[in-house]
Amino acid sequence: MNPNQPPTSILTVLSLDLLIQIIDHLLDPSDRKAVRLVSHAFLRAESLQRRTLNVLRREALVSLLRRYGAIERLDLSLCAGIDDSSLSLAVAGGAAATVRKVRLSRAGAVGWRGLAAIASGCPKLEAVDLSHCVGVGDREAAALAGVPGLKELKLDKCLKVTDVGLAKVAVGCPGLETLGIKWCLEISDVGIELLVKKCRELKDLDVSYLKVTDKSLQAIATLWKLKVFSMVGCNFVTDEGLRYLNNGNNSLREINVSRSHNLTSSGLVPVIEGHKSLEKLEAGYCFYDLEPLFLSKLSGLTYGFRTLKLDGSQISASSLQIIGANCKHLTKIGLSKCGGVTDEGVSELVSSCGDLDTVDLTCCHELTDDSLISIANSCSKLETLLLESCSLITEKGLNLIGTSCSNLQKIDLTDCNITDTALKGLSKCSGLMFLKVGLCPNVSDKGIVYIASSCRKLRELDLYRCIAVGDKGLAALVAGCKEIKKLNLCYCVRITDQGMSHLSHLEELTDIELRGLFRVTSLGITAIAIGCRSLVELDMKHCYSVDDAGFLALAQYSEYLRQMNITNCQISDVALRLLLRNLRYLQDAKLVHLPNVSKQGWDLALRACFDKLKKVKLPSELRYILSPVTIHMLQIRGCRIRWISKPLSRYEVPLQEILMGQKPQPFF
Amino acid sequence: MDLKNTGVSISESSSSKASSSSVMPKTPRNLNPNIPFSTTQFGTSNLCFDSGANQSFHAYQPALGMQSLPLYHENKNKDHQVLDWDPRVMLNNLSFLEQKIHQVQDVVRSMICRREEGQFSNQANELAAQQQLVTADLTSIIIQLISTAGTLLPSFKNSSLPSNPPGGPMGSLIGSEFRSDSAKASEYEELIKGLSNAGDEGDELIKYVNACGGEGTESVLIEDDAMDGDNLPPGSYEVLQLEKEEILAPHTHFCLICGKGFKRDANLRMHMRGHGDEYKTPAALAKPSKEVSLEPAPIKRYSCPFRGCKRNKEHKKFQPLKTILCVKNHYKRSHCDKSYTCSRCNNKKFSVIADLKTHEKHCGRDKWLCSCGTTFSRKDKLFGHVALFQGHTPALPPVDDAKVSVVSDQVQGNDLMNEGSIGFNFGSTSDDVSLLDIKGADDDRGFFSPMNFDSCNFGGLDEFPRPAFEVSESSFSMLPGSYNYVRGNGET
């Protein structure tokens, strides 16, 4: 107890376990932070209660692990500069003895020594996530094999892991239940076959993009506990391979065969026949035609079959009708980029499937308001509606959606050319959290006002190239939607420093894109930096009106900034160096076309942050200008350098950018 | 002379110990006198030839001397005293040759004189006799010269040398005119025959008509792994057995004039062209035709001369070898020192140079290493192995090598292999031990007991002509590792 605490404080009366119970009810991290700053008693209670730890700085890792003695989930994926020595130091002496799960996703500097330290320091370890650590190879896998109790392992995109590494894991961790080896391109049939022989407990397996053949499928089919199987982009697997999966187990719940080009829809028939309890089937970009046999077999599945994703196929109205008739309990349907989808087909489908909560009709260009009407009439539980590039829809349909689907949380109207009136209709969905109206030049401040006035829960707003939106709209937005975390204002060129000062009131804002806002100057950026203290991602590409003052403000105030794009900005040597040095958590920087930075400036700036950067985009000419030592320093710490040789284009709005600017949203 | 006459000693010991020896008792070398006796016995090297020459020189000196010169007799004893390379002896030999040449010169000169005198007709017989004499003398000079030169060869100085059993009635003739009518077939003649014999390999064999043709039961015993699935019932074929000297001979055909050895008769014939126009005639260059027999040639199979070997005809489960090449490869692989070392890994040794070449093609690629130390050239084989044994995993290259290279991996693997197999690697004798020394060791029958041999019959020692470098897992069963699976390992 803190002796300075007044004796009348309630904290002296409550026992530790009661305090812990109080903390248990606090879910928001910021609330927790407030609580543990109140008193030592709460601090101690919290340290005993806390199970999850997300460390952002490697310097803090040791002390944090010492303080929190009961940590079970340790997330180091955002920890800047985490490396072998800091890991070894942190887990030494049993400091992490209670840890069960470790996330090291994208921790490029972690090698086998660190993993070996974890393996020996965390005896209860059950789950490790090493996804996107592109440098991880067989030796790291061998270190993980020293964790006999390992049940869950993610090695997605660990490019250097070969069959040997997989064999190490397979032999060392026979109790493995979940394994992701997506993009581990070196792994082949031999490795899979051995894995299957050694790890009989596997329930969840992801072999996406591997060059495996039917032989692997034959082996995998013997995993009688397998529930979730993902084989996206396995182009060497044929229908024959899928036939093996009909093994009489009925164990599969989810299967994803998307982008496996050697499959036909009838190849899935044996899978459906063998696994009646299937819940989720994804076969996007896989086959062009849906054969009647496949569609009719869908009726054999149990009521548990909820999710069907057939992106990129050719689906006629009659096919949709059969799907609707056979899968009445579908809750999620994905028809993104499907050809032949018409209003008739959609209405046939939704009239049978009243339980749908997610409908993906992205790029079904032929759809009109009729589809929306039938959706609105049938799907009262609708939560997610993706209508990108359905340019024929109007406010009429959307109004109906807003009226009927009160549960709507997410709607994508990118490139639908909607108007303010449509937004007015949608604003009836008070629970709306994600709204994308990019590339709708008709959306103006008025529409934003409608949304802001009623959709108070809005978290994410995409106004990409809504050129009619200006400062007033932002003012209304800030007034109404305080919880916004993510905001895309790229190329909304009317926005000025005034708008930025409005935005500075969004304390929860973590992610903001300000590309091409040439009216925004250092003043606006300074306002953002001071106001939006939780900012994690910032895109200022082509904000060429911002000068060093703005960047210095960022360097001083935006301490949580992790990802930054300042391509084509007027930043000087000093500011760049200060920015890169001061941003302690910076991991991803895009630094192409910085005309005011000299050769020495580059060297100094990059050396100032070499140990925390994980990804950096640099102009390709720097490859020959930068000192090789700097490049080596970056690379040896696991930083991936992408050399960009695109010519500078200030006013150009390339089509590519329009397409790429839309980050894919997680669908289901 | 310090010539051990290994060939002789073997046959003698065989005949004396009839029960234990397998080679000789049933196969008297002169069983078929019509088959010209082997030339290769002399052919292991120049030295062999030399030794044979020396010996025959002495042994049959009387025969020669009868037609020849007394001087030769006088030198005989001196020749006997040649124990090693001795300048004194050499001088003796050379002076003998000199004298001999002078004598021949004299004879020829006298012949010229007589011709000039025009005494042809009445002295035709005498002239013919003289001519014969000259030829004989010249031949003996050549041989003596070669033998003298042979003693100078350092590598063979101390070797035991094969020779023929004395007194074998050698029936075949050679084109040499000088050959005496004497009923005693001399080894000298045999040597000459050896020099000029152009017979093919089949003729070099000691023929042995399989005596166990009646034992029908043996056919059951012949196992399936006989070469190429060639399951001939015993007795349906002729079994031939070469002597080890014949097997190991680098050359089987020798030039009569200069003594140069050749592997092929055709090459010898080509070579002979350089010695004069008489060798350039189509007849001389033509392939000597074999006797054309009307009956179909009997199927021939070969026996390994090594007693106790499965390929030896005395073995209970005798499996014959199909061709002479098989015999040669088998004998070298199984019963000889491995004198060819891989220059890449400096570890693997081979007795057949072709095996070395095959290995060198793959050396360094054998990178699939198991934690138990076994290496595999193919990944799927390693993974099959790992799948089979609990706890085995594919091994990674050594940790602290910053540059993790295949080479270091390989070296490690080979170290382990060495460790594993050293216990019974009887090829591990040092490199400078010559083939001939090993032959001497061969005679020491206890050295390789059949059992001992079987127990380490792995990889390179296999009699099958497959690449010898492929190490089977069994070779690691004695690895002093801490694995519990050693037994299982050995059983695969």
Side-chain angles (χ1 to χ4, degrees):
Chain A
M1 285 294 151
N2 189 343
N4 296 333
Q5 207 72 39
T8 51
S9 165
I10 191 168
L11 298 177
T12 55
V13 187
L14 296 177
S15 64
L16 198 63
D17 55 321
L18 286 175
L19 288 179
I20 288 175
Q21 280 195 21
I22 292 173
I23 294 173
D24 276 342
H25 289 281
L26 298 172
L27 299 175
D28 195 305
S30 55
D31 293 344
R32 286 187 168 226
K33 188 174 181 181
V35 162
R36 70 172 174 263
L37 291 175
V38 162
S39 74
H40 276 133
F42 265 120
L43 183 66
R44 199 187 321 147
E46 205 236 354
S47 69
L48 289 174
Q49 185 267 353
R50 187 183 262 271
R51 296 289 179 269
T52 307
L53 192 60
N54 184 0
V55 185
L56 295 181
R57 274 191 310 131
R58 81 175 159 202
E59 292 79 13
L61 180 60
V62 174
S63 57
L64 283 174
L65 275 178
R66 297 279 185 282
R67 189 200 301 168
Y68 296 104
I71 292 298
E72 288 182 358
R73 290 177 296 276
L74 182 61
D75 188 346
L76 299 171
S77 54
L78 299 177
C79 188
I82 184 81
D83 58 7
D84 284 346
S85 50
S86 49
L87 258 186
S88 315
L89 199 66
V91 300
T98 55
V99 171
R100 290 176 188 275
K101 298 189 176 191
V102 172
R103 275 197 75 199
L104 282 165
S105 184
R106 294 179 205 276
V110 172
W112 63 272
R113 290 185 179 86
L115 292 173
I118 288 183
S120 59
C122 311
K124 291 181 178 175
L125 202 62
E126 285 173 1
V128 175
D129 182 353
L130 280 174
S131 52
H132 301 280
C133 297
V134 286
V136 162
D138 289 343
R139 196 164 296 286
E140 284 74 19
L144 288 174
V147 188
L150 205 65
K151 286 185 177 158
E152 200 181 325
L153 178 60
K154 270 192 115 152
L155 293 171
D156 297 1
K157 215 164 185 184
C158 294
L159 294 176
K160 291 181 184 165
V161 173
T162 70
D163 287 331
V164 173
L166 185 64
K168 285 275 183 196
V169 170
V171 172
C173 318
L176 216 55
E177 289 176 5
T178 301
L179 178 65
I181 45 175
K182 187 177 177 176
W183 282 113
C184 297
L185 298 175
E186 302 286 319
I187 290 176
S188 69
D189 282 339
V190 214
I192 300 288
E193 281 167 347
L194 185 70
L195 171 79
V196 166
K197 276 184 195 139
K198 297 287 180 184
C199 302
R200 303 302 300 165
E201 301 294 313
L202 274 174
K203 291 190 176 77
D204 183 344
L205 181 61
D206 186 350
V207 297
S208 298
Y209 299 102
L210 300 191
K211 292 183 188 119
V212 294
T213 67
D214 293 346
K215 280 168 82 182
S216 288
L217 270 281
Q218 189 177 13
I220 288 166
T222 65
L223 290 169
W224 58 284
K225 288 183 178 173
L226 193 67
K227 278 187 169 175
V228 181
F229 179 50
S230 198
M231 44 163 278
V232 179
C234 293
N235 287 333
F236 297 99
V237 175
T238 67
D239 289 352
E240 284 297 310
L242 287 184
R243 193 163 296 157
Y244 292 118
L245 290 179
N246 186 2
N247 53 4
N249 270 341
N250 190 21
S251 62
L252 273 183
R253 295 292 176 270
E254 295 178 17
I255 185 165
N256 188 350
V257 297
S258 300
R259 296 178 198 275
S260 301
H261 296 300
N262 262 333
L263 298 180
T264 68
S265 57
S266 53
L268 281 171
V269 170
V271 181
I272 296 171
E273 284 177 340
H275 302 272
K276 300 280 184 205
S277 306
L278 204 66
E279 290 167 7
K280 186 171 173 182
L281 173 62
E282 292 181 55
Y285 309 103
C286 204
F287 23 78
Y288 190 69
D289 274 327
L290 295 179
E291 285 158 44
L293 181 65
F294 163 69
L295 293 174
S296 63
K297 288 287 175 188
L298 285 174
S299 63
L301 295 173
T302 61
Y303 291 162
F305 184 58
R306 293 290 160 90
T307 306
L308 179 63
K309 232 185 146 179
L310 295 168
D311 303 350
S313 312
Q314 191 73 20
I315 303 184
S316 64
S318 57
S319 297
L320 283 176
Q321 187 193 0
I322 299 171
I323 291 173
N326 287 339
C327 319
K328 285 193 163 38
H329 297 266
L330 273 187
T331 58
K332 297 179 203 302
I333 180 97
L335 301 171
S336 162
K337 297 185 185 174
C338 284
V341 177
T342 57
D343 290 337
E344 188 196 352
V346 171
S347 67
E348 292 280 4
L349 176 74
V350 295
S351 60
S352 308
C353 307
D355 291 338
L356 281 174
D357 60 27
T358 301
V359 178
D360 184 356
L361 298 169
T362 301
C363 294
C364 295
H365 305 287
E366 296 173 35
L367 298 185
T368 68
D369 283 338
D370 292 347
S371 291
L372 295 187
I373 292 165
S374 43
I375 289 173
N377 288 337
S378 311
C379 311
S380 56
K381 298 175 185 169
L382 196 69
E383 288 173 4
T384 302
L385 182 58
L386 306 178
L387 294 168
E388 183 183 337
S389 285
C390 297
S391 47
L392 299 178
I393 59 169
T394 66
E395 58 262 25
K396 186 181 153 203
L398 288 173
N399 195 18
L400 206 58
I401 293 279
T403 317
S404 310
C405 309
S406 52
N407 290 331
L408 197 68
Q409 290 177 1
K410 177 172 182 175
I411 187 161
D412 185 351
L413 298 168
T414 304
D415 200 16
C416 289
N417 203 15
I418 57 154
T419 59
D420 292 337
T421 331
L423 288 184
K424 185 183 179 187
L426 278 179
S427 66
K428 284 176 237 167
C429 307
S430 57
L432 203 62
M433 290 164 81
F434 303 90
L435 175 62
K436 298 184 92 174
V437 286
L439 292 167
C440 296
N442 295 327
V443 169
S444 69
D445 292 342
K446 217 167 143 192
I448 304 297
V449 172
Y450 290 131
I451 294 291
S453 58
S454 56
C455 305
R456 306 259 163 183
K457 291 183 182 167
L458 202 65
R459 294 278 179 82
E460 207 178 312
L461 178 61
D462 185 348
L463 296 171
Y464 182 82
R465 285 184 197 274
C466 292
I467 45 173
V469 173
D471 296 338
K472 278 186 195 165
L474 294 186
L477 188 72
V478 170
C481 313
K482 300 265 186 210
E483 294 182 15
I484 286 199
K485 289 189 182 317
K486 209 170 168 184
L487 192 55
N488 189 341
L489 300 174
C490 294
Y491 305 105
C492 300
V493 286
R494 285 192 185 183
I495 293 172
T496 66
D497 286 342
Q498 187 65 40
M500 292 297 116
S501 62
H502 293 313
L503 289 182
S504 66
H505 295 102
L506 292 173
E507 285 181 9
E508 306 222 340
L509 196 67
T510 59
D511 191 336
I512 187 163
E513 294 184 45
L514 305 169
R515 279 189 193 192
L517 302 189
F518 60 89
R519 292 199 169 92
V520 171
T521 68
S522 295
L523 279 179
I525 296 300
T526 309
I528 295 262
I530 294 173
C532 311
R533 300 299 284 272
S534 351
L535 210 58
V536 168
E537 268 188 68
L538 174 64
D539 190 338
M540 288 172 60
K541 191 175 176 180
H542 303 310
C543 289
Y544 42 82
S545 305
V546 178
D547 58 13
D548 277 0
F551 292 111
L552 292 177
L554 284 174
Q556 192 168 352
Y557 298 107
S558 297
E559 52 176 347
Y560 293 111
L561 210 57
R562 222 156 42 211
Q563 211 172 319
M564 183 176 68
N565 187 350
I566 55 169
T567 294
N568 191 18
C569 284
Q570 308 289 318
I571 189 170
S572 70
D573 283 359
V574 180
L576 181 65
R577 177 156 173 260
L578 217 65
L579 191 64
L580 292 184
R581 200 190 65 186
N582 277 22
L583 297 176
R584 294 185 297 179
Y585 306 132
L586 192 71
Q587 298 186 352
D588 186 345
K590 298 183 175 75
L591 309 170
V592 196
H593 297 310
L594 303 182
N596 297 345
V597 179
S598 67
K599 173 190 180 291
Q600 286 80 12
W602 278 115
D603 261 329
L604 286 172
L606 287 173
R607 284 185 191 206
C609 63
F610 76 95
D611 66 337
K612 57 192 176 195
L613 278 187
K614 288 177 179 170
K615 223 163 128 184
V616 63
K617 266 191 194 178
L618 296 173
S620 56
E621 62 265 21
L622 270 190
R623 191 195 291 232
Y624 312 104
I625 296 172
L626 273 182
S627 89
V629 182
T630 312
I631 297 177
H632 185 67
M633 276 163 80
L634 281 167
Q635 282 170 341
I636 210 164
R637 296 289 299 191
C639 176
R640 291 167 67 204
I641 306 176
R642 282 187 62 194
W643 303 100
I644 307 296
S645 55
K646 259 200 306 194
L648 175 66
S649 56
R650 182 174 293 187
Y651 300 104
E652 190 193 52
V653 182
L655 181 69
Q656 208 179 6
E657 204 163 75
I658 297 171
L659 297 174
M660 307 287 284
Q662 302 300 319
K663 291 185 182 161
Q665 294 297 315
F667 176 34
F668 293 135
Chain B
M1 276 185 132
D2 183 24
L3 300 168
K4 282 188 189 168
N5 300 338
T6 2
V8 180
S9 68
I10 284 186
S11 64
E12 281 171 353
S13 69
S14 317
S15 47
S16 61
K17 299 182 251 170
S19 59
S20 64
S21 78
S22 58
V23 183
M24 278 314 180
K26 288 179 183 173
T27 61
R29 308 181 72 135
N30 50 1
L31 185 72
N32 185 349
N34 293 326
I35 301 290
F37 202 68
S38 163
T39 62
T40 51
Q41 284 178 324
F42 305 99
T44 9
S45 64
N46 283 338
L47 175 62
C48 293
F49 170 71
D50 154 56
S51 77
N54 271 324
Q55 203 208 7
S56 52
F57 228 78
H58 308 311
Y60 296 99
Q61 188 57 50
L64 193 64
M66 285 198 294
Q67 312 162 3
S68 174
L69 305 154
L71 192 74
Y72 195 68
H73 282 282
E74 289 164 15
N75 276 312
K76 176 186 166 190
N77 289 330
K78 286 176 187 170
D79 276 346
H80 262 293
Q81 287 157 11
V82 178
L83 294 171
D84 203 336
W85 196 87
D86 186 345
R88 212 157 39 84
V89 178
M90 177 66 77
L91 193 63
N92 275 338
N93 281 346
L94 291 175
S95 52
F96 162 67
L97 282 168
E98 197 186 6
Q99 285 174 317
K100 185 112 186 166
I101 289 167
H102 284 309
Q103 285 169 0
V104 178
Q105 272 179 333
D106 290 340
V107 174
V108 174
R109 213 171 278 136
S110 71
M111 285 164 77
I112 293 167
C113 295
R114 282 182 207 176
R115 188 179 290 188
E116 281 169 359
E117 287 163 17
Q119 301 168 330
F120 298 116
S121 53
N122 42 356
Q123 293 186 345
N125 287 336
E126 195 188 336
L127 199 63
Q130 275 181 331
Q131 205 174 342
Q132 209 174 9
L133 200 70
V134 169
T135 318
D137 282 352
L138 281 174
T139 314
S140 82
I141 286 167
I142 290 166
I143 290 161
Q144 184 68 9
L145 195 62
I146 291 169
S147 83
T148 310
T151 54
L152 290 169
L153 291 175
S155 64
F156 293 97
K157 221 191 277 177
N158 296 319
S159 342
S160 54
L161 291 163
S163 179
N164 284 328
M170 296 296 124
S172 81
L173 308 181
I174 359 129
S176 173
E177 282 180 68
F178 97 97
R179 185 187 176 276
S180 73
D181 299 333
S182 143
K184 292 191 247 168
S186 68
E187 282 202 8
Y188 183 37
E189 290 162 359
E190 189 185 315
L191 170 71
I192 300 301
K193 175 197 69 191
L195 291 172
S196 60
N197 191 354
D200 66 8
E201 285 178 316
D203 296 328
E204 296 160 14
L205 297 167
I206 303 159
K207 255 192 176 172
Y208 164 62
V209 180
N210 194 341
C212 38
E215 300 171 26
T217 48
E218 270 204 21
S219 64
V220 186
L221 295 171
I222 291 176
E223 289 170 11
D224 292 336
D225 58 349
M227 295 189 54
D228 305 328
D230 178 36
N231 280 333
L232 292 173
S236 67
Y237 50 84
E238 224 178 338
V239 174
L240 311 172
Q241 181 168 289
L242 283 86
E243 282 306 300
K244 67 178 152 201
E245 292 78 22
E246 295 170 290
I247 292 168
L248 296 172
H251 301 137
T252 47
H253 306 280
F254 292 91
C255 173
L256 249 184
I257 295 167
C258 65
K260 190 173 179 195
F262 295 92
K263 275 183 185 166
R264 292 173 217 282
D265 178 51
N267 293 349
L268 172 64
R269 273 181 273 134
M270 290 299 112
H271 163 84
M272 293 306 286
R273 291 177 305 171
H275 285 303
D277 286 341
E278 65 265 39
Y279 298 108
K280 290 178 181 169
T281 61
L285 288 171
K287 188 177 180 181
S289 59
K290 293 180 187 175
E291 290 175 40
V292 184
S293 61
L294 290 173
E295 36 186 295
I299 303 168
K300 288 176 188 168
R301 288 294 178 266
Y302 300 91
S303 158
C304 167
F306 191 88
R307 283 192 318 146
C309 173
K310 209 175 185 180
R311 302 301 195 172
N312 182 266
K313 57 183 176 275
E314 298 296 315
H315 195 277
K316 258 189 200 170
K317 298 177 178 178
F318 171 55
Q319 292 179 337
L321 294 152
K322 218 173 179 180
T323 65
I324 297 205
L325 195 65
C326 293
V327 176
K328 287 188 170 181
N329 283 341
H330 159 76
Y331 193 85
K332 286 184 192 166
R333 284 180 184 139
S334 309
H335 310 300
C336 288
D337 188 16
K338 297 175 174 185
S339 49
Y340 302 110
T341 310
C342 173
S343 57
R344 288 206 208 179
C345 59
N346 278 321
N347 183 50
K348 281 267 192 179
K349 291 176 180 171
F350 302 91
S351 44
V352 177
I353 197 150
D355 292 350
L356 171 71
K357 283 178 179 164
T358 317
H359 163 80
E360 279 182 336
K361 266 187 216 160
H362 295 269
C363 184
R365 290 208 237 153
D366 198 13
K367 58 181 178 179
W368 300 106
L369 174 65
C370 178
S371 56
C372 68
T374 319
T375 56
F376 300 85
S377 58
R378 284 170 51 181
K379 182 165 77 172
D380 52 339
K381 299 290 174 203
L382 166 64
F383 276 63
H385 166 87
V386 167
L388 209 56
F389 298 107
Q390 203 75 34
H392 287 211
T393 66
L396 294 169
V399 169
D400 273 319
D401 282 16
K403 292 153 203 154
V404 174
S405 65
V406 177
V407 178
S408 61
D409 199 349
Q410 174 63 25
V411 169
Q412 192 199 28
N414 285 329
D415 287 345
L416 284 161
M417 279 159 49
N418 217 4
E419 201 183 343
S421 57
I422 201 141
F424 26 41
N425 184 4
F426 62 79
S428 65
T429 40
S430 59
D431 286 346
D432 50 356
V433 175
S434 71
L435 280 174
L436 294 169
D437 276 355
I438 287 302
K439 274 197 285 182
D442 270 2
D443 288 336
D444 185 3
R445 310 267 170 191
F447 188 71
F448 303 120
S449 75
M451 188 202 77
N452 195 7
F453 188 74
D454 282 344
S455 71
C456 51
N457 185 12
F458 59 83
L461 301 176
D462 205 302
E463 47 272 275
F464 295 96
R466 71 178 184 195
F469 57 88
E470 189 122 13
V471 178
S472 76
E473 288 156 17
S474 60
S475 59
F476 296 96
S477 57
M478 298 302 281
L479 226 174
S482 58
Y483 296 98
N484 311 324
Y485 340 97
V486 164
R487 277 211 69 80
N489 196 357
E491 281 158 15
T492 54

